[in-house]
Amino acid sequence: MGSFAPSLPAGTLNVALSNYAKSFRNNAFVGDLIAPRVPVGRQSFQYTVFDRSNQRLDRQTLRAPGTTPQTDRMSYSEYPYFCKSRALRAVVPYEQEQYALGLGFSEKQAATRRLIDKIGLDRENYIAQLVTNASNVTNNQTLSGASMWDNYTGVSHPIAVVESAKTLVRQSGVEATHLILSDPVVTALISHPDITDRFKYVQPGAITLDQLTQVFGVTCVRAAAISLDKGNNASYVWGTSAVLASVQQASSMDDMSALKTFSWSAAPMTVDGYGVLEFPLPDLDAKGDVVSVDWYWDTRITAQETLYLLNGCVAAPTMGAVAAPLAG
């Protein structure tokens, strides 16, 4: 006799699936590298942005005997964040869940993975749109013509361009830590003469991301995520851009990271801001459960001066056709 898995009560938080959603990561996404997650206890509040007063020679440190020293005052700005709910749902028929269990997996867990992955893709796209929009980033440069990195005529010099950008970020008092390179930019760089000349006598063969990291002196990351429109046409989420940023994974009072993702850890019906609700369809004879995945987050540029944007690094590539799925 086959077993029967009863539904959870209406509106029940599935803690196991919520923890699964919390821990899920898509390795093609770079959002967590450039905008690390910071748990916050309030849905909306202020985050602090420290200025560069420690670099300012505006006080006299020499003190004459019997006199008091000059007074220095800490200064910082406050900007608001607001963690909004990002959610999607799926319907899992009882028959489909039982059939999947026979194949060795849970359809409800697979639905959770698919939904949190799509929410993550939405976040990846949001971050990419945020930092590749020149109106949002003070330090930016758009390459064109002979200066583009897929132009190998000897006019484009990506190493020099990135070094200049690193110098500008360094003036903020911190070093750039990551260089986010869209997939077509990586493809152009690994064949660029300025790059290949560095290794032609020591390690012949294909240039790797580790070697790009050696050349640029900052951790290079390939941003390869793609998105499909309703017509199944693919495009790179990060376009043809390169983004240099300073990132501190563990937040602190002196954090000068370019971006942060605030995640509301006390959101209702969630586990640390990630929630998977499970409840039966209203028509019980439909024999199905709804799996609803939720995550409360907000991403903000938190240190404008530690971010540098390079747009139009290469020509937009021609995307191949997306193959149709195998017939069921």
Side-chain angles (χ1 to χ4, degrees), residues 69 142 287:
T142 299
K287 298 182 179 179

Side-chain angles (χ1 to χ4, degrees), residues 159 190 195-196 198-200 202-218 220:
I159 299 175
I190 61 177
I195 308 295
T196 57
R198 298 291 182 97
F199 298 98
K200 63 182 179 181
V202 293
Q203 189 174 346
I207 301 297
T208 65
L209 275 176
D210 286 340
Q211 290 172 322
L212 290 180
T213 295
Q214 293 176 37
V215 169
F216 289 116
V218 62
C220 292

Side-chain angles (χ1 to χ4, degrees), residues 30-112:
V30 301
D32 280 331
L33 291 176
I34 194 172
R37 308 182 192 193
V38 178
V40 290
R42 302 185 185 185
Q43 183 178 19
S44 178
F45 200 58
Q46 307 288 328
Y47 66 90
T48 55
V49 180
F50 287 86
D51 64 13
R52 296 161 62 183
S53 59
N54 62 316
Q55 294 179 302
R56 206 170 286 130
L57 284 172
D58 58 352
R59 294 290 184 270
Q60 173 60 261
T61 61
L62 183 64
R63 184 186 63 82
T67 64
T68 59
Q70 284 197 349
T71 300
D72 189 50
R73 180 178 299 173
M74 176 182 290
S75 59
Y76 57 88
S77 301
E78 295 179 349
Y79 294 97
Y81 68 83
F82 190 96
C83 299
K84 296 180 180 179
S85 168
R86 271 76 172 189
L88 290 170
R89 58 156 54 176
V91 174
V92 180
Y94 296 161
E95 298 92 340
Q96 191 170 324
E97 174 70 358
Q98 290 297 312
Y99 184 73
L101 290 173
L103 295 175
F105 70 95
S106 167
E107 180 67 25
K108 291 179 181 178
Q109 186 181 41
T112 300

Side-chain angles (χ1 to χ4, degrees), residues 40-267:
V40 290
R42 302 185 185 185
Q43 183 178 19
S44 178
F45 200 58
Q46 307 288 328
Y47 66 90
T48 55
V49 180
F50 287 86
D51 64 13
R52 296 161 62 183
S53 59
N54 62 316
Q55 294 179 302
R56 206 170 286 130
L57 284 172
D58 58 352
R59 294 290 184 270
Q60 173 60 261
T61 61
L62 183 64
R63 184 186 63 82
T67 64
T68 59
Q70 284 197 349
T71 300
D72 189 50
R73 180 178 299 173
M74 176 182 290
S75 59
Y76 57 88
S77 301
E78 295 179 349
Y79 294 97
Y81 68 83
F82 190 96
C83 299
K84 296 180 180 179
S85 168
R86 271 76 172 189
L88 290 170
R89 58 156 54 176
V91 174
V92 180
Y94 296 161
E95 298 92 340
Q96 191 170 324
E97 174 70 358
Q98 290 297 312
Y99 184 73
L101 290 173
L103 295 175
F105 70 95
S106 167
E107 180 67 25
K108 291 179 181 178
Q109 186 181 41
T112 300
R113 180 175 64 249
R114 183 176 71 255
L115 297 180
I116 194 64
D117 195 23
K118 290 175 74 69
I119 293 172
L121 178 60
D122 180 53
R123 171 176 173 251
E124 183 83 357
N125 184 71
Y126 179 87
I127 294 173
Q129 293 294 323
L130 181 66
V131 299
T132 61
N133 185 337
S135 63
N136 296 329
V137 181
T138 301
N139 301 323
N140 68 81
Q141 180 180 352
T142 299
L143 305 181
S144 62
S147 68
M148 297 170 70
W149 294 348
D150 54 357
N151 189 312
Y152 301 153
T153 60
V155 179
S156 70
H157 298 291
I159 299 175
V161 171
V162 172
E163 283 300 321
S164 295
K166 287 167 58 182
T167 298
L168 190 59
V169 170
R170 192 178 299 117
Q171 291 174 11
S172 68
V174 297
E175 293 281 351
T177 60
H178 290 75
L179 179 59
I180 307 299
L181 303 167
S182 69
D183 192 80
V185 174
V186 173
T187 300
L189 286 176
I190 61 177
S191 296
H192 196 286
D194 285 10
I195 308 295
T196 57
D197 282 352
R198 298 291 182 97
F199 298 98
K200 63 182 179 181
Y201 297 120
V202 293
Q203 189 174 346
I207 301 297
T208 65
L209 275 176
D210 286 340
Q211 290 172 322
L212 290 180
T213 295
Q214 293 176 37
V215 169
F216 289 116
V218 62
T219 300
C220 292
V221 181
R222 183 195 298 264
I226 65 169
S227 62
L228 301 177
D229 63 15
K230 292 182 179 179
N232 230 24
N233 300 303
S235 61
Y236 284 108
V237 171
W238 287 84
T240 58
S241 302
V243 178
L244 184 71
S246 178
V247 180
Q248 179 178 312
Q249 291 292 329
S251 184
S252 72
M253 291 296 291
D254 297 320
D255 193 347
M256 290 288 289
S257 293
L259 297 100
K260 288 292 185 185
T261 295
F262 301 96
S263 183
W264 185 22
S265 59

